[in-house]
Amino acid sequence: MNMALWIVQGILGLGFIFSGWMKAFQYEQAKKSWPWASEVSRGLVFFIGILELVGVIGLIVPQATDIAPGLTPLAAIGLAVVVLLGAIFHIARKEYKQIGVNIVFLALAVFVGVGRF
C-alpha cells in the first residue's frame, strides 16, 4: 500500500507542479491553455497556483522526511478541496469536458488523504 501511495503522490505532485507553476508564474500561457483563466482575476489565478504548489510541498516533504508526516494527508485533502471547487466552477460554467481531470485528481487526492491517515 505504501508503494501505491507514493506512486499516486508522485503523479499528483507532477500534475499540481505543472498546473500550479503555470497559474502562478506563467499567466499568459495559462490563459492560452485554460480559457477560464482570462475570465477571472489574475490574482485569483495566482492564488490558486500558489495553493497548488504549497500543497505539493505538503504532499511530499513531510512524508519523505518523516518530519510531521501527519501534514501529508492534510495537504492531500486540501488539494482535493481545491480540485472539488474547480469542478464546481466548471459545472457552473457548463464546461463539462474539463471536469474529467478534476474527478481523476480528486479521487487520487482523496486516496492519498485517506491512505496516509
Side-chain angles (χ1 to χ4, degrees), residues 15 17 25-28 31-32 35 38 45 48 52 60 66 68 78 82 88-89 101:
I17 285 172
F25 303 113
Q26 295 179 327
Y27 179 68
E28 293 305 318
K31 288 193 319 185
K32 291 177 188 172
S38 61
V45 175
I48 295 167
E52 291 177 354
I60 304 295
D66 202 29
V82 170
I88 292 168
F89 175 77
V101 172

Side-chain angles (χ1 to χ4, degrees), residues 20-100:
W21 187 266
M22 194 176 325
K23 289 171 189 158
F25 303 113
Q26 295 179 327
Y27 179 68
E28 293 305 318
Q29 183 64 35
K31 288 193 319 185
K32 291 177 188 172
S33 297
W34 302 303
W36 65 266
S38 61
E39 298 173 17
V40 299
S41 73
R42 184 177 187 150
L44 178 60
V45 175
F46 177 78
F47 179 69
I48 295 167
I50 294 298
L51 282 178
E52 291 177 354
L53 293 172
V54 170
V56 169
I57 293 168
L59 191 66
I60 304 295
V61 174
Q63 194 71 37
T65 62
D66 202 29
I67 299 172
L71 293 177
T72 295
L74 295 177
I77 297 303
L79 287 170
V81 169
V82 170
V83 173
L84 178 62
L85 292 172
I88 292 168
F89 175 77
H90 290 305
I91 289 169
R93 293 171 47 91
K94 296 181 176 37
E95 298 173 338
Y96 302 115
K97 291 181 181 179
Q98 310 287 11
I99 298 169

